């Protein structure tokens, strides 16, 4: 979080708001409009917006960052009734403690440290505790809300080594961007690449994948397609349920 010359909580909130906003960058502003004492609008300050990454990438990041507040380093600090995402942070010399968290409504950042930097013995729970107290109050009157799942996201059995549809013995169920799921794993990959407790398949032995395409065709051919040369493989049916179609409005808060 410190970078070379430091970074402000506003800058950090703006960065994480891109994830909360479905990949859309919104220029931070300190005011929205200027009115006369009679309520006549004098000037409206509309922030600039531009897309910095896809909605699918943003959703996958949201799913990852939910884990931080559900069971990770900020576990137990979810805002009730809301999808809550977050990231704790500590500089290498323990002089800065951070927590950045967001919901479908708001994103905010807490930094804990000294004006003249010195080591802080406690962990990031200081920043997390402040964040939860403030954000709980902010969300008190707001309706429960979840992040919207883009149409390009599916839930499927995925090989953790290749990122393709899993063959027997190498799959985990997860969310994925379907445009990158362009083939099936052949069941051969080095053991060191596996990231889940799945049976090891010796890459030196010829193994025939038992995976079948959704149309029932054998998929034992080469699986070297990329997003740019998708051969039209049909992904498994998405069984994750209906997505929330509510609008997500994020306002960075320092």
């Amino acid at each position: 979080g410190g970078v070379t010359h430091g970074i402000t909580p506003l800058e950090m909130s703006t960065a994480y708001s891109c994830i909360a906003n479905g990949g859309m960058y919104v220029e931070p502003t300190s005011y929205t409009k200027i009115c006369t004492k009679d309520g006549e609008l004098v000037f409206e300050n509309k922030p600039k917006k531009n897309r910095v990454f896809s909605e699918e990438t943003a959703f996958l990041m949201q799913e990852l960052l939910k884990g931080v507040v559900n069971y990770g380093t900020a576990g137990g600090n979810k805002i009730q009734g809301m999808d809550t995402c977050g990231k704790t942070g500590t500089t290498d010399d323990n002089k800065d403690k951070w927590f950045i968290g967001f919901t479908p409504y708001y994103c905010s950042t807490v930094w804990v440290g000294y004006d003249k930097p010195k080591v802080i013995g406690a962990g990031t729970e200081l920043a997390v505790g402040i964040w939860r107290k403030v954000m709980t109050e902010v969300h008190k009157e707001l309706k429960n809300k979840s992040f919207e799942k883009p149409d390009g996201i599916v839930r499927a059995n995925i090989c953790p080594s290749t990122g393709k549809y899993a063959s027997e013995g190498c799959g985990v169920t997860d969310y994925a961007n379907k445009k990158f799921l362009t083939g099936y794993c052949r069941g051969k990959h080095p053991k060191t690449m596996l990231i889940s407790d799945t049976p090891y398949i010796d890459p030196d032995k010829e193994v025939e994948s038992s995976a079948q395409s959704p149309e029932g065709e054998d998929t034992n051919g080469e699986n070297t397609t990329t997003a740019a040369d998708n051969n039209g493989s049909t992904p498994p049916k998405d069984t994750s349920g209906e997505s929330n179609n509510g609008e997500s409005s994020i306002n960075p808060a320092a």
Side-chain angles (χ1 to χ4, degrees), residues 11 27-28 35 51 61-63 66 70 97 100 178 183 202 213 216 240:
E11 290 172 315
E27 181 183 48
C35 298
R51 180 162 298 283
M61 286 301 300
Q62 290 163 8
E63 287 298 304
K66 284 178 187 177
N70 288 336
K97 305 294 180 178
I100 308 97
K178 66 183 179 184
D202 189 346
S213 70
S240 59

PDB file of all heavy atoms in Angstrom, residues 11 27-28 35 51 61-63 66 70 97 100 178 183 202 213 216 240:
ATOM      1  N   GLU A  11      -7.217   7.661  -3.268  1.00  0.00           N
ATOM      2  CA  GLU A  11      -6.688   6.950  -4.430  1.00  0.00           C
ATOM      3  C   GLU A  11      -6.966   5.453  -4.334  1.00  0.00           C
ATOM      4  O   GLU A  11      -7.305   4.794  -5.322  1.00  0.00           O
ATOM      5  CB  GLU A  11      -5.181   7.199  -4.558  1.00  0.00           C
ATOM      6  CG  GLU A  11      -4.822   8.614  -4.974  1.00  0.00           C
ATOM      7  CD  GLU A  11      -3.333   8.882  -4.896  1.00  0.00           C
ATOM      8  OE1 GLU A  11      -2.700   8.510  -3.883  1.00  0.00           O
ATOM      9  OE2 GLU A  11      -2.789   9.465  -5.860  1.00  0.00           O
ATOM     10  N   GLU A  27     -14.069   9.001 -12.031  1.00  0.00           N
ATOM     11  CA  GLU A  27     -13.178  10.025 -11.491  1.00  0.00           C
ATOM     12  C   GLU A  27     -13.705  10.527 -10.151  1.00  0.00           C
ATOM     13  O   GLU A  27     -14.876  10.906 -10.035  1.00  0.00           O
ATOM     14  CB  GLU A  27     -13.093  11.190 -12.474  1.00  0.00           C
ATOM     15  CG  GLU A  27     -12.166  12.306 -12.035  1.00  0.00           C
ATOM     16  CD  GLU A  27     -12.187  13.466 -13.016  1.00  0.00           C
ATOM     17  OE1 GLU A  27     -13.300  13.895 -13.403  1.00  0.00           O
ATOM     18  OE2 GLU A  27     -11.103  13.947 -13.388  1.00  0.00           O
ATOM     19  N   PRO A  28     -12.884  10.518  -9.099  1.00  0.00           N
ATOM     20  CA  PRO A  28     -13.357  10.978  -7.787  1.00  0.00           C
ATOM     21  C   PRO A  28     -13.613  12.478  -7.779  1.00  0.00           C
ATOM     22  O   PRO A  28     -12.882  13.256  -8.392  1.00  0.00           O
ATOM     23  CB  PRO A  28     -12.206  10.612  -6.842  1.00  0.00           C
ATOM     24  CG  PRO A  28     -11.001  10.555  -7.713  1.00  0.00           C
ATOM     25  CD  PRO A  28     -11.476  10.067  -9.058  1.00  0.00           C
ATOM     26  N   CYS A  35     -25.744  24.820  -5.746  1.00  0.00           N
ATOM     27  CA  CYS A  35     -27.070  25.438  -5.868  1.00  0.00           C
ATOM     28  C   CYS A  35     -27.106  26.764  -5.106  1.00  0.00           C
ATOM     29  O   CYS A  35     -26.326  26.984  -4.175  1.00  0.00           O
ATOM     30  CB  CYS A  35     -28.149  24.512  -5.307  1.00  0.00           C
ATOM     31  SG  CYS A  35     -28.312  22.936  -6.163  1.00  0.00           S
ATOM     32  N   ARG A  51     -14.094   2.671 -19.069  1.00  0.00           N
ATOM     33  CA  ARG A  51     -13.918   1.262 -18.716  1.00  0.00           C
ATOM     34  C   ARG A  51     -12.438   0.910 -18.688  1.00  0.00           C
ATOM     35  O   ARG A  51     -11.696   1.206 -19.635  1.00  0.00           O
ATOM     36  CB  ARG A  51     -14.665   0.367 -19.715  1.00  0.00           C
ATOM     37  CG  ARG A  51     -14.521  -1.123 -19.394  1.00  0.00           C
ATOM     38  CD  ARG A  51     -15.569  -1.948 -20.093  1.00  0.00           C
ATOM     39  NE  ARG A  51     -16.915  -1.596 -19.661  1.00  0.00           N
ATOM     40  CZ  ARG A  51     -17.445  -1.993 -18.507  1.00  0.00           C
ATOM     41  NH1 ARG A  51     -16.736  -2.734 -17.665  1.00  0.00           N
ATOM     42  NH2 ARG A  51     -18.665  -1.630 -18.189  1.00  0.00           N
ATOM     43  N   MET A  61     -13.135 -10.839  -9.594  1.00  0.00           N
ATOM     44  CA  MET A  61     -12.423 -10.193  -8.499  1.00  0.00           C
ATOM     45  C   MET A  61     -13.334 -10.002  -7.293  1.00  0.00           C
ATOM     46  O   MET A  61     -12.917 -10.162  -6.138  1.00  0.00           O
ATOM     47  CB  MET A  61     -11.853  -8.850  -8.949  1.00  0.00           C
ATOM     48  CG  MET A  61     -10.637  -8.950  -9.851  1.00  0.00           C
ATOM     49  SD  MET A  61      -9.254  -9.820  -9.072  1.00  0.00           S
ATOM     50  CE  MET A  61      -8.964  -8.779  -7.646  1.00  0.00           C
ATOM     51  N   GLN A  62     -14.587  -9.646  -7.538  1.00  0.00           N
ATOM     52  CA  GLN A  62     -15.549  -9.510  -6.439  1.00  0.00           C
ATOM     53  C   GLN A  62     -15.682 -10.836  -5.684  1.00  0.00           C
ATOM     54  O   GLN A  62     -15.682 -10.855  -4.444  1.00  0.00           O
ATOM     55  CB  GLN A  62     -16.915  -9.080  -6.985  1.00  0.00           C
ATOM     56  CG  GLN A  62     -16.965  -7.663  -7.518  1.00  0.00           C
ATOM     57  CD  GLN A  62     -18.173  -7.423  -8.403  1.00  0.00           C
ATOM     58  OE1 GLN A  62     -19.063  -8.273  -8.516  1.00  0.00           O
ATOM     59  NE2 GLN A  62     -18.223  -6.275  -9.065  1.00  0.00           N
ATOM     60  N   GLU A  63     -15.787 -11.926  -6.432  1.00  0.00           N
ATOM     61  CA  GLU A  63     -15.916 -13.244  -5.803  1.00  0.00           C
ATOM     62  C   GLU A  63     -14.695 -13.572  -4.955  1.00  0.00           C
ATOM     63  O   GLU A  63     -14.812 -14.115  -3.852  1.00  0.00           O
ATOM     64  CB  GLU A  63     -16.124 -14.318  -6.875  1.00  0.00           C
ATOM     65  CG  GLU A  63     -17.492 -14.299  -7.516  1.00  0.00           C
ATOM     66  CD  GLU A  63     -18.601 -14.555  -6.512  1.00  0.00           C
ATOM     67  OE1 GLU A  63     -18.555 -15.601  -5.831  1.00  0.00           O
ATOM     68  OE2 GLU A  63     -19.509 -13.710  -6.397  1.00  0.00           O
ATOM     69  N   LYS A  66     -14.679 -11.381  -1.728  1.00  0.00           N
ATOM     70  CA  LYS A  66     -15.686 -11.762  -0.730  1.00  0.00           C
ATOM     71  C   LYS A  66     -15.061 -12.680   0.317  1.00  0.00           C
ATOM     72  O   LYS A  66     -15.421 -12.654   1.498  1.00  0.00           O
ATOM     73  CB  LYS A  66     -16.859 -12.484  -1.392  1.00  0.00           C
ATOM     74  CG  LYS A  66     -17.826 -11.597  -2.137  1.00  0.00           C
ATOM     75  CD  LYS A  66     -18.926 -12.453  -2.780  1.00  0.00           C
ATOM     76  CE  LYS A  66     -19.832 -11.640  -3.672  1.00  0.00           C
ATOM     77  NZ  LYS A  66     -20.847 -12.506  -4.340  1.00  0.00           N
ATOM     78  N   ASN A  70     -15.404 -13.008   4.467  1.00  0.00           N
ATOM     79  CA  ASN A  70     -16.171 -14.177   4.903  1.00  0.00           C
ATOM     80  C   ASN A  70     -15.351 -15.116   5.780  1.00  0.00           C
ATOM     81  O   ASN A  70     -15.832 -15.613   6.792  1.00  0.00           O
ATOM     82  CB  ASN A  70     -16.709 -14.939   3.688  1.00  0.00           C
ATOM     83  CG  ASN A  70     -17.827 -14.199   2.991  1.00  0.00           C
ATOM     84  OD1 ASN A  70     -18.499 -13.372   3.593  1.00  0.00           O
ATOM     85  ND2 ASN A  70     -18.034 -14.474   1.715  1.00  0.00           N
ATOM     86  N   LYS A  97      -1.241   0.213   8.240  1.00  0.00           N
ATOM     87  CA  LYS A  97      -2.292  -0.808   8.267  1.00  0.00           C
ATOM     88  C   LYS A  97      -3.475  -0.294   7.446  1.00  0.00           C
ATOM     89  O   LYS A  97      -3.951   0.824   7.648  1.00  0.00           O
ATOM     90  CB  LYS A  97      -2.752  -1.088   9.706  1.00  0.00           C
ATOM     91  CG  LYS A  97      -1.622  -1.465  10.666  1.00  0.00           C
ATOM     92  CD  LYS A  97      -0.984  -2.801  10.317  1.00  0.00           C
ATOM     93  CE  LYS A  97       0.138  -3.126  11.297  1.00  0.00           C
ATOM     94  NZ  LYS A  97       0.748  -4.435  11.023  1.00  0.00           N
ATOM     95  N   ILE A 100      -9.506  -1.860   2.733  1.00  0.00           N
ATOM     96  CA  ILE A 100     -10.374  -1.313   1.699  1.00  0.00           C
ATOM     97  C   ILE A 100     -11.530  -2.284   1.536  1.00  0.00           C
ATOM     98  O   ILE A 100     -11.317  -3.485   1.340  1.00  0.00           O
ATOM     99  CB  ILE A 100      -9.651  -1.148   0.355  1.00  0.00           C
ATOM    100  CG1 ILE A 100      -8.355  -0.361   0.529  1.00  0.00           C
ATOM    101  CG2 ILE A 100     -10.558  -0.461  -0.663  1.00  0.00           C
ATOM    102  CD1 ILE A 100      -7.128  -1.200   0.665  1.00  0.00           C
ATOM    103  N   LYS A 178     -16.731 -17.440 -19.609  1.00  0.00           N
ATOM    104  CA  LYS A 178     -16.955 -18.532 -20.558  1.00  0.00           C
ATOM    105  C   LYS A 178     -16.204 -18.345 -21.871  1.00  0.00           C
ATOM    106  O   LYS A 178     -15.952 -19.317 -22.583  1.00  0.00           O
ATOM    107  CB  LYS A 178     -18.445 -18.722 -20.818  1.00  0.00           C
ATOM    108  CG  LYS A 178     -19.151 -17.583 -21.515  1.00  0.00           C
ATOM    109  CD  LYS A 178     -20.639 -17.902 -21.642  1.00  0.00           C
ATOM    110  CE  LYS A 178     -21.405 -16.764 -22.315  1.00  0.00           C
ATOM    111  NZ  LYS A 178     -22.863 -17.053 -22.355  1.00  0.00           N
ATOM    112  N   GLY A 183     -12.176 -25.294 -24.396  1.00  0.00           N
ATOM    113  CA  GLY A 183     -11.876 -26.701 -24.644  1.00  0.00           C
ATOM    114  C   GLY A 183     -11.864 -27.477 -23.351  1.00  0.00           C
ATOM    115  O   GLY A 183     -12.142 -26.942 -22.279  1.00  0.00           O
ATOM    116  N   ASP A 202      -0.163 -38.992 -13.994  1.00  0.00           N
ATOM    117  CA  ASP A 202       1.211 -38.978 -14.470  1.00  0.00           C
ATOM    118  C   ASP A 202       1.256 -38.413 -15.884  1.00  0.00           C
ATOM    119  O   ASP A 202       0.685 -38.998 -16.815  1.00  0.00           O
ATOM    120  CB  ASP A 202       1.784 -40.398 -14.448  1.00  0.00           C
ATOM    121  CG  ASP A 202       3.284 -40.400 -14.740  1.00  0.00           C
ATOM    122  OD1 ASP A 202       3.825 -39.380 -15.218  1.00  0.00           O
ATOM    123  OD2 ASP A 202       3.906 -41.445 -14.475  1.00  0.00           O
ATOM    124  N   SER A 213     -18.215 -33.618 -24.850  1.00  0.00           N
ATOM    125  CA  SER A 213     -18.783 -32.300 -25.126  1.00  0.00           C
ATOM    126  C   SER A 213     -20.258 -32.330 -24.819  1.00  0.00           C
ATOM    127  O   SER A 213     -20.860 -33.398 -24.741  1.00  0.00           O
ATOM    128  CB  SER A 213     -18.563 -31.944 -26.612  1.00  0.00           C
ATOM    129  OG  SER A 213     -19.380 -32.767 -27.415  1.00  0.00           O
ATOM    130  N   GLY A 216     -22.245 -34.568 -26.799  1.00  0.00           N
ATOM    131  CA  GLY A 216     -21.933 -35.984 -26.732  1.00  0.00           C
ATOM    132  C   GLY A 216     -20.765 -36.386 -27.601  1.00  0.00           C
ATOM    133  O   GLY A 216     -20.433 -37.565 -27.704  1.00  0.00           O
ATOM    134  N   SER A 240     -25.970 -21.537 -11.588  1.00  0.00           N
ATOM    135  CA  SER A 240     -25.762 -20.663 -10.426  1.00  0.00           C
ATOM    136  C   SER A 240     -27.003 -19.880 -10.039  1.00  0.00           C
ATOM    137  O   SER A 240     -27.000 -19.156  -9.073  1.00  0.00           O
ATOM    138  CB  SER A 240     -24.607 -19.701 -10.712  1.00  0.00           C
ATOM    139  OG  SER A 240     -24.903 -18.939 -11.853  1.00  0.00           O
TER     140      SER A 240
END
